[in-house]
Amino acid sequence: MIKGLALEQVLTLYILPSSITGLGSNMMESSNLVVFTSEDLKSLTNSFNQKNLIGVTQFGKLYKGWIKPGLICTQGRDVTVKIWDQKSNFSNLVSDEYFMAVKEEVQFLTQPKTNGHPNLVKLIGFCCEKELKGVVYDLNPRGTLHNLILKDDLSWTQRANIILQFARLLEFLHAQDKPYVVLNICGSHVTLDWDCNPKLCDFGLISGGIIGDINALKKQIPMPIGYVDPFFAAKGGYWQTSCDVFSFGVILLGLISKRVLDLEKLDRPEEIPNNLVQFWAKNEYRPNCSLVHKSLREDWGYNPQDGGAITEMGMRCIEFFPMNRPTMKDVVKCLEGLLIFQRLGDTRPNKREKKYHSDCEMAA
């Protein structure tokens, strides 16, 4: 591997020769990147062992990794390794276009305005060889949001906090002078660390800011199934920040109702609509009621007022017409007003002693 590569050097690279070997200092400077070889990535992930697989993204796969002491710093480090899979069923990219995807991600994550944001993955380095392209993040992953939504070990407080943090990230991205539009927001592209902080980790369709306008190639690549803005899918036109609001709404509703699209059913198109979180929500929702899952209504931090407010906000986010959706600034303002965030210092046990609030008995 090559250590301490400056950004301007990164952006002039095309395909690295496979003969590159390790050199450089033990400690990576914060402004520099490490260039990994394909053999390095195999070593970090135990040859991409299935046991280290975190999840599948739209363009590839995420793995848990381990950097041995002395390799880039004095102590060992848990990391996340993302690779682009050129055999992915959800991507129309060819080899050279995968390089551009790596280059854009490096540009985005290392620019001053985004580098260090608590809800964006921190980039350690990258691999851009002909046969393998990947990146290494400074992240000890608990798992992807997609895989954790259904599990009972995420409490109501944690779920609400994940929603708020992710909303703040999107508000930040949309508030730039040239707003970023992520476009491929989905549960598989958000990882959690062990403190349950969400980290956006895929930027394959991003536009705006330092990336520039969305190009013709990206316009041809669909948003992730289950998170597609139905208005633009049906009507076409220019992709806007409201597309991210819709996808965020799907994540919000999935988190509070413990529902997620079953990816194993994607090969049966006739079953997809019935498994979409937004379809279920629109069928179940009634005004002034909550879609919060029964088990989450037993948590001590839960309040029926919060359940109704967050459900209503989620439903507004998935409105068909973009003009009827809130901005992410509106979303953040609503979420910050929830009672749960006034109780985060409370140290009572996780579950209520009294019976859970029914909230109109909407979610099972």
Side-chain angles (χ1 to χ4, degrees):
M1 72 179 69
I2 293 180
K3 304 174 185 178
L5 193 68
L7 179 58
E8 58 270 19
Q9 294 173 287
V10 171
L11 300 182
T12 59
L13 291 175
Y14 188 58
I15 294 177
L16 300 177
S18 58
S19 60
I20 290 177
T21 57
L23 52 91
S25 61
N26 288 330
M27 185 63 69
M28 180 182 66
E29 296 295 335
S30 60
S31 60
N32 294 331
L33 296 173
V34 175
V35 179
F36 294 95
T37 67
S38 57
E39 291 302 315
D40 292 328
L41 298 192
K42 289 179 182 178
S43 176
L44 299 184
T45 59
N46 192 18
S47 297
F48 302 111
N49 193 298
Q50 189 70 15
K51 293 181 179 180
N52 289 326
L53 181 66
I54 303 170
V56 178
T57 70
Q58 185 175 12
F59 300 101
K61 297 177 180 179
L62 291 168
Y63 290 90
K64 295 179 182 178
W66 170 252
I67 295 180
K68 297 177 181 179
L71 195 60
I72 64 171
C73 55
T74 55
Q75 296 181 335
R77 184 182 301 183
D78 290 297
V79 296
T80 298
V81 177
K82 182 177 75 176
I83 63 168
W84 277 263
D85 184 359
Q86 299 186 30
K87 298 179 181 179
S88 171
N89 294 327
F90 306 105
S91 171
N92 299 324
L93 300 183
V94 297
S95 181
D96 289 357
E97 292 159 351
Y98 278 98
F99 162 76
M100 291 305 299
V102 178
K103 181 179 178 180
E104 285 188 351
E105 181 162 325
V106 170
Q107 283 182 299
F108 174 71
L109 290 176
T110 55
Q111 67 157 319
K113 287 187 177 180
T114 54
N115 184 20
H117 191 284
N119 301 116
L120 291 172
V121 284
K122 183 177 180 181
L123 190 64
I124 292 177
F126 69 98
C127 171
C128 207
E129 295 182 356
K130 184 175 183 179
E131 301 301 327
L132 181 66
K133 295 169 181 65
V135 286
V136 179
Y137 301 132
D138 186 7
L139 171 65
N140 181 9
R142 181 170 181 169
T144 66
L145 202 54
H146 177 86
N147 293 335
L148 293 171
I149 280 178
L150 300 178
K151 295 188 176 181
D152 293 332
D153 51 358
L154 284 183
S155 68
W156 169 252
T157 300
Q158 290 169 326
R159 289 169 189 261
N161 192 48
I162 290 167
I163 291 169
L164 176 58
Q165 286 194 53
F166 197 60
R168 286 172 172 165
L169 169 63
L170 294 181
E171 179 191 23
F172 164 78
L173 294 176
H174 292 176
Q176 300 304 304
D177 293 337
K178 296 181 179 179
Y180 285 102
V181 182
V182 183
L183 282 185
N184 65 338
I185 293 172
C186 70
S188 298
H189 296 165
V190 180
T191 54
L192 297 185
D193 63 18
W194 285 94
D195 292 321
C196 289
N197 298 307
K199 308 279 185 177
L200 184 62
C201 64
D202 198 277
F203 314 92
L205 297 181
I206 196 168
S207 63
I210 197 172
I211 303 301
D213 295 337
I214 187 168
N215 58 37
L217 172 66
K218 291 180 180 179
K219 290 180 180 179
Q220 298 173 15
I221 301 174
M223 296 170 66
I225 296 176
Y227 299 83
V228 179
D229 183 330
F231 179 86
F232 284 92
K235 305 293 185 180
Y238 182 72
W239 299 99
Q240 301 174 350
T241 55
S242 60
C243 301
D244 287 348
V245 175
F246 181 90
S247 301
F248 169 82
V250 177
I251 286 180
L252 183 157
L253 292 169
L255 272 166
I256 67 173
S257 64
K258 289 189 176 181
R259 286 181 173 268
V260 70
L261 176 65
D262 187 349
L263 297 178
E264 294 183 358
K265 295 183 179 180
L266 293 184
D267 59 347
R268 289 172 279 175
E270 69 280 0
E271 295 188 20
I272 292 178
N274 293 331
N275 285 282
L276 294 178
V277 173
Q278 58 270 36
F279 277 30
W280 170 85
K282 289 185 176 182
N283 286 332
E284 293 292 328
Y285 179 68
R286 301 293 182 272
N288 302 317
C289 284
S290 163
L291 296 180
V292 177
H293 193 274
K294 172 182 175 180
S295 65
L296 296 174
R297 297 199 299 270
E298 296 176 336
D299 282 11
W300 71 262
Y302 179 76
N303 182 285
Q305 182 177 330
D306 284 354
I310 200 169
T311 298
E312 181 183 358
M313 178 54 67
M315 297 306 296
R316 289 180 59 197
C317 289
I318 62 169
E319 284 279 352
F320 179 79
F321 292 102
M323 67 180 66
N324 293 335
R325 300 171 197 161
T327 65
M328 289 311 303
K329 183 178 181 179
D330 296 331
V331 173
V332 170
K333 183 178 180 180
C334 170
L335 294 174
E336 289 179 341
L338 296 179
L339 295 175
I340 182 64
F341 296 115
Q342 302 173 28
R343 300 179 177 178
L344 288 180
D346 196 324
T347 57
R348 286 180 293 169
N350 186 50
K351 298 293 181 182
R352 291 180 180 269
E353 294 181 359
K354 59 184 179 181
K355 186 179 180 180
Y356 65 87
H357 295 271
S358 65
D359 286 348
C360 303
E361 301 291 346
M362 290 300 300

